[in-house]
Amino acid sequence: MSEIIPIASDHAGVELKERLKRELVALGYAPLDMGTNSTDSVDYPDFAHPLAEKVEHGEVQRGVLLCGTGLGMSYAANRHHGVRAAVAWSPEVAQLSREHNDANVLVLPARCISEDESVEILKRWLSTPFAGGRHSRRVAKIEEGEGT
Ligand code: RB5
């Protein structure tokens, strides 16, 4: 069965979301569109939180968010326990977010990168495993500081 990958955006990322959904299907994944579905102005947390909850609760392994800069979506998603949402603006950053940080949500800055760049970032992120080793210790320490 194809892996379900939830994907959500605000109005700034809605067009790019359509392109990435097609790419996900072509790569053999099952994108789950969690909105928004028009260019009408919306509030990014309303879309980040429901997607992050799916990752937090283990309903899915990973997800993709888009907004203008990637920042607002990442702030909201990273409020969720166990969620590591990484803003990636290049394939190299996407790769390192997986290898070193075990990112489980990819956040794309739709107003700052081209569609083609986004596709390369998405592909690199999906295909890169976590490196483990010393990085496991560091990732574990992220949540040690929660609520302090
Ligand atoms: C929307 O105008 C914009 O603020 C949003 O897409 C995002 O960049 C916020 O972080």
Side-chain angles (χ1 to χ4, degrees):
M1 211 177 89
S2 302
E3 179 184 346
I4 295 170
I5 302 214
I7 181 167
S9 73
D10 68 357
H11 51 286
V14 69
E15 285 174 19
L16 181 55
K17 175 162 64 65
E18 291 309 308
R19 168 80 188 271
L20 295 186
K21 279 166 54 184
R22 291 195 297 275
E23 295 292 338
L24 284 167
V25 170
L27 290 166
Y29 297 98
L32 172 65
D33 190 337
M34 298 185 69
T36 189
N37 289 308
S38 87
T39 52
D40 294 348
S41 183
V42 292
D43 299 337
Y44 53 81
D46 294 341
F47 298 87
H49 288 306
L51 185 144
E53 277 170 18
K54 285 192 176 291
V55 176
E56 180 177 20
H57 298 144
E59 289 174 42
V60 294
Q61 293 298 308
R62 46 194 178 168
V64 178
L65 290 168
L66 307 94
C67 67
T69 60
L71 298 175
M73 285 291 197
S74 68
Y75 297 162
N78 279 317
R79 301 297 293 262
H80 292 259
H81 184 74
V83 170
R84 292 176 297 280
V87 182
W89 56 91
S90 73
E92 184 186 10
V93 172
Q95 181 175 334
L96 288 169
S97 80
R98 289 288 310 127
E99 286 178 350
H100 288 197
N101 313 118
D102 198 15
N104 48 19
V105 175
L106 172 66
V107 191
L108 288 159
R111 286 180 174 156
C112 309
I113 51 177
S114 71
E115 279 198 14
D116 289 346
E117 285 170 329
S118 303
V119 170
E120 290 312 307
I121 291 167
L122 176 69
K123 285 181 178 171
R124 187 80 69 91
W125 189 79
L126 289 170
S127 63
T128 304
F130 178 46
R134 68 187 185 283
H135 301 296
S136 299
R137 183 183 68 243
R138 294 167 183 168
V139 169
K141 284 185 177 181
I142 294 172
E143 296 201 346
E144 281 176 16
E146 243 180 28
T148 56

